[in-house]
Amino acid sequence: MRVLVVEDDEVTARTVAVGLRRAQMAVDVALDGPGGLERALFNDYDVIVLDRDLPGMHGDDVCARLIEAGCRSRVLMLTAAATTEDLVDGLGLGADDYLTKPFDFPALVARIGALARRAHPAVPPVLRHGDLVLDTARRRVSRGDRPLELAPKEFGVLELLLAAKGRVVAAEELLDRVWDENADPFTNAVKITVSRLRTKLGDPPIIETVARRGYRI
């Protein structure tokens, strides 16, 4: 999944980003309201982790602008305030979930995962194809009785292909959804990742290359 973290405290933002990347997510970071809004409207994120107290543009205003623009990303709002009134205000603006600071990091990861499964379209918590099983919540993959150790990008590519349910997924879409904004659009990263994934999945092969179109399961 691809996540945008909008948080003005740089140390907190980088720490959260590192933790989410370790949880096999592609993460972009913005340190103010205008920067977060620009990235959110330009890229297709599954979840936006949005701090409420932001410089340049308040998080409430960012959330409202996203809703007005028809943004399909799920919004998890963060705030240091913990009153019921703040919760009601945040959800009333269109946020999908609300988490107060300081927060438990495993809880943040779990909430992001839950929101992502409700994203466009909803993805079930466990994806299956034959003897291949991918658990999106526990971030585990197995084929038959064999657990597979996948790198974050390999997991992301496999998750997207399984969720596509036989649809051909273009390399450009994989790059956009699994990698972050720093990815080179001319890179061979997708091709290399799919090759490594095929090796780990073993036989019989299940990832098909569709000439000039992309990949599918």
Side-chain angles (χ1 to χ4, degrees):
M1 70 186 74
R2 189 170 180 185
V3 178
L4 173 64
V5 176
V6 189
E7 163 64 59
D8 65 313
D9 184 273
E10 187 169 358
V11 173
T12 300
R14 302 301 176 190
T15 300
V16 169
V18 168
L20 295 181
R21 288 175 184 134
R22 288 175 178 169
Q24 303 178 341
M25 303 180 194
V27 185
D28 295 334
V29 173
L31 300 176
D32 57 36
L37 180 63
E38 181 181 7
R39 284 177 171 82
L41 293 177
F42 182 78
N43 297 301
D44 186 17
Y45 295 103
D46 296 292
V47 179
I48 299 170
V49 180
L50 179 64
D51 186 37
R52 197 173 187 192
D53 299 312
L54 292 169
M57 179 183 293
H58 196 275
D60 289 357
D61 297 325
V62 173
C63 186
R65 291 281 296 275
L66 291 176
I67 299 302
E68 290 174 4
C71 178
R72 298 188 300 169
S73 304
R74 301 295 182 177
V75 176
L76 172 59
M77 190 168 281
L78 301 178
T79 182
T83 67
T84 301
E85 183 180 355
D86 290 311
L87 170 62
V88 171
D89 288 346
L91 296 176
L93 289 167
D96 298 281
D97 201 356
Y98 202 91
L99 193 60
T100 57
K101 297 179 182 179
F103 51 80
D104 182 64
F105 194 80
L108 174 65
V109 173
R111 286 176 183 244
I112 291 174
L115 289 176
R117 289 193 294 273
R118 292 161 47 193
H120 41 259
V123 176
V126 178
L127 298 169
R128 303 176 186 273
H129 180 83
D131 62 350
L132 177 64
V133 179
L134 184 148
D135 188 324
T136 63
R138 295 180 176 85
R139 317 303 290 176
R140 295 174 183 170
V141 180
S142 62
R143 188 167 192 190
D145 297 327
R146 180 170 58 98
L148 304 178
E149 294 294 332
L150 302 185
K153 296 296 184 287
E154 294 165 355
F155 186 98
V157 167
L158 182 60
E159 181 179 11
L160 197 57
L161 290 176
L162 283 170
K165 299 180 180 179
R167 174 177 64 86
V168 177
V169 182
E172 293 80 6
E173 181 179 349
L174 290 169
L175 189 67
D176 181 64
R177 295 289 304 281
V178 180
W179 278 258
D180 59 28
E181 63 185 354
N182 298 313
D184 180 355
F186 301 105
T187 183
N188 288 324
V190 172
K191 183 177 181 180
I192 294 171
T193 299
V194 170
S195 177
R196 291 174 177 169
L197 186 55
R198 281 177 167 144
T199 299
K200 292 184 178 182
L201 291 174
D203 293 322
I206 62 171
I207 299 179
E208 176 188 0
T209 298
V210 181
R212 295 182 295 278
R213 293 181 59 196
Y215 306 92
R216 71 180 171 195
I217 290 179

